[in-house]
Amino acid sequence: MSRLGTAALALALVLLSVTLAGVGAQGTALEDPDYYGQEIWSREPYYTRQEPEPESFSPLLPAGPGEKWEPRPQEPRPPKKATNPKKVPKRDKSAPEPHLPGKNSNKKGMKTRSSEKAASDDHHVRAAHEDVRESCPPLGLETLKITDFQLHASTAKRYGLGAHRGRLNIQAGINENDFYDGAWCAGRNDLHQWIEVDARRLTRFTGVITQGRNSLWLSDWVTSYKVMVSNDSHTWVTVKNGSGDMIFQGNSEKEIPILNELPVPMVARYIRVNPQSWFDNGSICMRMEILGCPLPDPNNYYHRRNEMTTTDDLDFKHHNYKEMRQLMKVVNEMCPNITRIYNIGKSHQGLKLYAVEISDHPGEHEVGEPEFHYIAGAHGNEVLGRELLLLLVQFLCQEYLARNARIVRLVEETRIHILPSLNPDGYEKAYEGGSELGGWSLGRWTHDGIDINNNFPDLNTLLWEAEDRQNVPRKVPNHYIAIPEWFLSENATVAAETRAVIAWMEKIPFVLGGNLQGGELVVAYPYDLVRSPWKTQEHTPTPDDHVFRWLAYSYASTHRLMTDARRRVCHTEDFQKEEGTVNGASWHTVAGSLNDFSYLHTNCFELSIYVGCDKYPHESQLPEEWENNRESLIVFMEQVHRGIKGLVRDSHGKGIPNAVISVEGVNHDIRTANDGDYWRLLNPGEYVVTAKAEGFTASTKNCMVGYDMGATRCDFTLSKTNMARIREIMEKFGKQPVSLPARRLKLRGRKRRQRG
């Protein structure tokens, strides 16, 4: 027995030596295995609740031809947000199935390149295999979820072209070659350059998206590259294509994003892109996004503490036109007593511009109740605002049914209108491209190529020219400025969507409104057009500048990120000096903006709310973006009840429409609605207010605005002038009132004839 034991021991030693020799030939150091490789292997039984089978520490390889591949227990997947299927409309069968990025990565028009077969010989990095291939969302270079400290590069031309600028869709400043340029650019053009992302935790990487440099003058992009992964940032493994390094095809121009999916998902902490070729007349410059699923780590408190969750049971997904309409229908069926769906017109392609009204008496204007609106999607590719408004509609309905006192009060005291998609034609183009591959401009304009955001009549110039000629207020008033006749003609370059919005705003007496846009994180208030025609940036305040500043701050200050001084700027502008707000003209001048038109042609105070750096975030980001904006969306609506309100009536108690309400010291008037009711947004203070109407004697009062929420009631009763009474009497008896100046001229003519 002892000899048998000795022989067995000798045989075991021989096998062990052979095994070690084989491993050594492959370059694996078993004496010092990678920490992250140990971590995930040791946790696998914890997640799967299965006993691991004894096996050597080596990567999984794809099954070869004719071989039967026995899959190991699947990697743990990140938990998905649960939604209530009863409240989620069914996806239209003709709509694309969800796939990366976000929903439709293999659609027509998507730039996707991948390899069918590949293998890795790495012994530190696992290849993640699954029975069904499932892609991952972006890590967050574009959304800034990945910080500057997680981006590194071999070299950089200068700081403004460092690794922190290598983010998908990042935009360069007006003055290029400054601190805010449009890509990462290597300091040298050779094959040893790289840009790297530290995911800070084990991640299943599935793909890379690249762009060239954002520049008006230069043409720089990478045409091919390799991808490498690592667990310690020292030992790197190149993604293979069979036995050789895989070369991924890059960009053929600088703006259209190109997706390359890894042939085999790789589990690691670091990922590196190594350019192999670039545009002949350019340099190594690129912007990118990494697709990856962070692996769950319940033992890491830092990760759990920084993961955003929401308790709201809403439909967190991107909705195409049919799905948006179906969602509105579902909400209307849930809350039929407070909602109404209507359309304000049609797009160039004939899609109806649907709006949702939320009020305790939908379909009618209640005397004394202010009207508010949200608009989104003027730029079809700025999708976050559209989805936030659809989430807001669901939230208001649910909270009203749950008898949330704050929401009940808001719904019962305000008539709310929500128009989630002003440019549905453009959105459908952006939706076809997808959340990551649409680029910065696909779907921005209407189908006939018009930018709705600056397609309104320029009333600023009419007002300012009249002021310079001292024709105000006799020829040109300071409010309700008429639209020029050329703009109303059929041949004018005006989008059908623009005409629909103008008619909508002329019909409904809106008091306050916000149009949601994307690509930045700031609230912009009017004026949007500079007064000095030779300047591109100039602070140009309205007479109600203090009110607009407060309205902008009410949104920005309650947003989770806008006023955070530690947050990174989205692209080139730092708006922290004004607490996340900016005067539109001091940012960049725009003629014919919705904000300026609304202020000068109607009673409505309109602001532009830029809700996120990423115009079209992946739908996995929607819960976090909802949490960022939910409180702000509600607080901003509540501001419609700030200032004064009241009725302007005649001596018989009948409301006087179109009566002018003037505030002493503020060179901007408003007018009463058809029932004689009005609302004037003002900050706290004491104001001298005058109401006047044609044929009536003006009336002036002192009106106090307090700090508590709720507009101060300030009513006026106007009596008719003597001339108005005389005209009434004469008309009653079928006669025309005598014109005294004309009678004097007639008498003078008689005297001249008598003298002659």
Side-chain angles (χ1 to χ4, degrees):
M1 294 294 291
S2 61
R3 282 182 294 186
L4 288 174
T6 303
L9 178 60
L11 179 60
L13 290 174
V14 171
L15 291 174
L16 179 61
S17 63
V18 172
T19 303
L20 290 176
V23 171
Q26 296 177 19
T28 303
L30 288 179
E31 294 86 354
D32 185 22
D34 182 74
Y35 168 76
Y36 292 97
Q38 284 184 325
E39 184 181 34
I40 187 158
W41 280 102
S42 63
R43 284 208 309 267
E44 195 167 355
Y46 174 82
Y47 289 111
T48 59
R49 302 298 182 187
Q50 297 178 4
E51 290 298 325
E53 298 179 0
E55 55 187 51
S56 61
F57 183 69
S58 60
L60 292 171
L61 298 177
E67 296 178 357
K68 182 179 180 181
W69 175 57
E70 295 293 335
R72 290 179 183 166
Q74 289 187 354
E75 288 296 321
R77 300 182 185 177
K80 296 183 179 179
K81 302 292 181 183
T83 56
N84 188 345
K86 295 181 180 179
K87 297 179 182 179
V88 179
K90 294 181 179 179
R91 180 179 288 271
D92 188 88
K93 293 183 179 180
S94 63
E97 291 299 320
H99 188 65
L100 187 101
K103 53 222 150 280
N104 45 16
S105 66
N106 286 332
K107 277 189 175 182
K108 181 180 179 181
M110 297 286 283
K111 306 294 184 181
T112 306
R113 294 169 180 149
S114 62
S115 175
E116 295 179 359
K117 292 181 63 179
S120 171
D121 60 354
D122 175 40
H123 296 274
H124 296 281
V125 181
R126 291 187 55 202
H129 287 256
E130 294 178 336
D131 291 327
V132 179
R133 174 68 180 276
E134 182 176 325
S135 297
C136 292
L139 289 186
L141 276 76
E142 184 175 5
T143 62
L144 306 183
K145 189 175 181 179
I146 296 294
T147 68
D148 289 350
F149 299 104
Q150 294 174 258
L151 298 172
H152 308 279
S154 52
T155 59
K157 282 189 175 181
R158 51 185 171 76
Y159 177 78
L161 291 168
H164 64 291
R165 301 297 295 176
R167 301 172 180 273
L168 192 71
N169 286 320
I170 203 165
Q171 302 295 294
I174 297 176
N175 302 314
E176 293 188 19
N177 300 318
D178 59 10
F179 286 149
Y180 301 106
D181 222 317
W184 161 69
C185 290
R188 300 184 300 274
N189 289 339
D190 58 46
L191 299 179
H192 303 292
Q193 305 306 309
W194 48 262
I195 181 171
E196 164 190 319
V197 179
D198 176 7
R200 288 184 174 170
R201 62 194 293 184
L202 283 173
T203 302
R204 186 171 74 246
F205 296 116
T206 62
V208 177
I209 303 173
T210 59
Q211 273 177 316
R213 178 180 178 179
N214 175 248
S215 172
L216 293 174
W217 320 110
L218 301 173
S219 297
D220 298 318
W221 60 81
V222 171
T223 56
S224 67
Y225 57 89
K226 294 181 181 179
V227 175
M228 296 178 283
V229 290
S230 173
N231 280 326
D232 57 9
S233 78
H234 297 292
T235 304
W236 291 89
V237 176
T238 304
V239 174
K240 302 292 184 182
N241 183 11
S243 59
D245 294 347
M246 184 168 183
I247 305 296
F248 294 92
Q249 296 182 34
N251 300 86
S252 57
E253 57 90 66
K254 55 190 175 184
E255 288 299 334
I256 298 178
I258 299 296
L259 166 65
N260 279 291
E261 293 182 314
L262 302 186
V264 177
M266 306 296 289
V267 173
R269 171 174 170 174
Y270 301 88
I271 186 167
R272 178 179 284 185
V273 174
N274 170 215
Q276 296 297 296
S277 61
W278 44 94
F279 181 56
D280 291 340
N281 298 323
S283 302
I284 296 179
C285 295
M286 64 189 309
R287 296 172 284 170
M288 69 176 186
E289 180 64 84
I290 303 297
L291 309 181
C293 299
L295 299 186
D297 188 0
N299 299 321
N300 193 320
Y301 171 73
Y302 175 82
H303 292 149
R304 285 185 283 117
R305 183 168 58 91
N306 286 275
E307 289 176 351
M308 172 60 64
T309 59
T310 182
T311 58
D312 295 329
D313 184 17
L314 307 174
D315 189 17
F316 294 107
K317 64 185 286 289
H318 288 295
H319 301 81
N320 62 22
Y321 182 77
K322 292 182 179 180
E323 292 166 344
M324 178 187 73
R325 187 172 57 183
Q326 177 65 19
L327 179 62
M328 290 180 174
K329 181 179 179 182
V330 170
V331 173
N332 180 241
E333 291 173 351
M334 288 177 59
C335 299
N337 296 328
I338 62 167
T339 61
R340 178 176 71 99
I341 303 172
Y342 65 101
N343 73 82
I344 68 169
K346 292 184 179 181
S347 70
H348 184 273
Q349 290 287 84
L351 298 179
K352 293 181 179 179
L353 307 178
Y354 284 107
V356 178
E357 177 190 341
I358 302 177
S359 169
D360 58 341
H361 291 87
E364 62 179 277
H365 170 73
E366 296 181 68
V367 177
E369 185 172 289
E371 310 234 9
F372 175 94
H373 74 250
Y374 271 131
I375 299 173
H379 295 148
N381 64 329
E382 294 171 9
V383 176
L384 179 56
R386 168 193 177 110
E387 295 305 329
L388 287 176
L389 292 190
L390 292 178
L391 291 169
L392 179 64
V393 168
Q394 300 173 63
F395 179 80
L396 293 176
C397 172
Q398 290 183 7
E399 295 301 303
Y400 184 86
L401 294 178
R403 307 309 294 171
N404 180 323
R406 182 186 185 190
I407 301 302
V408 169
R409 181 170 60 252
L410 182 65
V411 171
E412 292 181 349
E413 297 179 359
T414 319
R415 192 182 181 201
I416 303 167
H417 303 258
I418 296 178
L419 179 66
S421 186
L422 178 55
N423 181 9
D425 297 347
Y427 173 80
E428 292 301 304
K429 291 181 182 178
Y431 186 89
E432 184 178 353
S435 64
E436 309 308 317
L437 303 185
W440 189 252
S441 60
L442 179 65
R444 174 184 176 90
W445 300 280
T446 63
H447 185 77
D448 48 345
I450 296 175
D451 187 341
I452 298 177
N453 196 48
N454 57 352
N455 190 226
F456 294 84
D458 174 14
L459 305 181
N460 306 57
T461 302
L462 295 177
L463 173 64
W464 295 335
E465 288 178 351
E467 289 179 346
D468 294 339
R469 295 193 305 266
Q470 297 182 348
N471 288 335
V472 175
R474 178 172 296 180
K475 292 186 178 180
V476 178
N478 64 12
H479 70 295
Y480 270 47
I481 300 175
I483 298 175
E485 291 185 7
W486 66 264
F487 188 89
L488 300 175
S489 67
E490 294 183 0
N491 297 328
T493 308
V494 182
E497 297 86 349
T498 305
R499 297 185 189 275
V501 170
I502 292 176
W504 185 46
M505 299 188 72
E506 289 178 337
K507 180 179 179 181
I508 300 177
F510 291 119
V511 179
L512 177 62
N515 58 89
L516 273 56
Q517 301 188 44
E520 267 296 350
L521 205 54
V522 67
V523 181
Y525 54 90
Y527 288 122
D528 290 328
L529 179 65
V530 296
R531 183 151 188 171
S532 302
W534 60 87
K535 293 184 179 181
T536 58
Q537 293 176 314
E538 179 186 38
H539 184 73
T540 311
T542 66
D544 285 288
D545 189 56
H546 292 293
V547 178
F548 274 114
R549 284 175 178 268
W550 167 256
L551 293 171
Y553 184 70
S554 70
Y555 194 100
S557 62
T558 48
H559 190 279
R560 290 184 63 253
L561 298 175
M562 277 191 191
T563 55
D564 186 353
R566 299 168 298 175
R567 76 171 181 87
R568 184 194 187 281
V569 299
C570 290
H571 300 280
T572 63
E573 302 283 348
D574 186 359
F575 300 106
Q576 292 307 311
K577 60 184 178 181
E578 291 189 43
E579 297 291 336
T581 67
V582 67
N583 172 254
S586 66
W587 182 14
H588 55 259
T589 183
V590 175
S593 74
L594 173 58
N595 293 348
D596 291 1
F597 169 79
S598 179
Y599 182 68
L600 295 176
H601 185 68
T602 74
N603 288 338
C604 184
F605 284 38
E606 185 90 18
L607 292 85
S608 293
I609 303 169
Y610 294 79
V611 291
C613 303
D614 188 351
K615 291 183 177 182
Y616 197 160
H618 188 272
E619 64 183 23
S620 63
Q621 294 294 318
L622 293 180
E624 181 172 353
E625 293 295 352
W626 167 247
E627 288 295 322
N628 289 342
N629 289 275
R630 178 184 58 192
E631 180 65 16
S632 301
L633 290 167
I634 298 171
V635 167
F636 187 71
M637 284 192 288
E638 292 173 335
Q639 303 311 305
V640 76
H641 297 283
R642 181 174 296 278
I644 60 175
K645 68 177 182 179
L647 284 169
V648 179
R649 293 171 287 197
D650 60 17
S651 55
H652 301 290
K654 183 180 179 181
I656 303 174
N658 278 328
V660 177
I661 306 296
S662 302
V663 178
E664 187 177 283
V666 182
N667 187 27
H668 181 78
D669 303 334
I670 65 164
R671 299 201 179 199
T672 58
N674 292 333
D675 298 306
D677 47 350
Y678 77 92
W679 307 263
R680 184 46 163 108
L681 296 177
L682 293 168
N683 285 342
E686 186 175 355
Y687 299 91
V688 178
V689 184
T690 300
K692 54 189 175 183
E694 185 178 355
F696 294 86
T697 303
S699 175
T700 300
K701 283 186 176 182
N702 288 340
C703 302
M704 177 70 70
V705 178
Y707 288 89
D708 295 335
M709 186 58 67
T712 302
R713 190 69 183 256
C714 199
D715 296 330
F716 293 89
T717 300
L718 305 184
S719 57
K720 292 185 178 180
T721 61
N722 291 334
M723 179 57 69
R725 290 173 181 169
I726 291 172
R727 285 175 178 170
E728 280 187 0
I729 295 172
M730 299 292 288
E731 289 174 359
K732 184 176 181 180
F733 293 99
K735 298 181 179 180
Q736 295 295 325
V738 177
S739 175
L740 295 179
R743 187 175 180 82
R744 291 194 190 100
L745 290 174
K746 191 174 182 180
L747 291 174
R748 288 174 185 172
R750 283 181 183 177
K751 291 180 180 179
R752 289 194 192 100
R753 287 193 295 271
Q754 290 174 358
R755 291 172 185 169

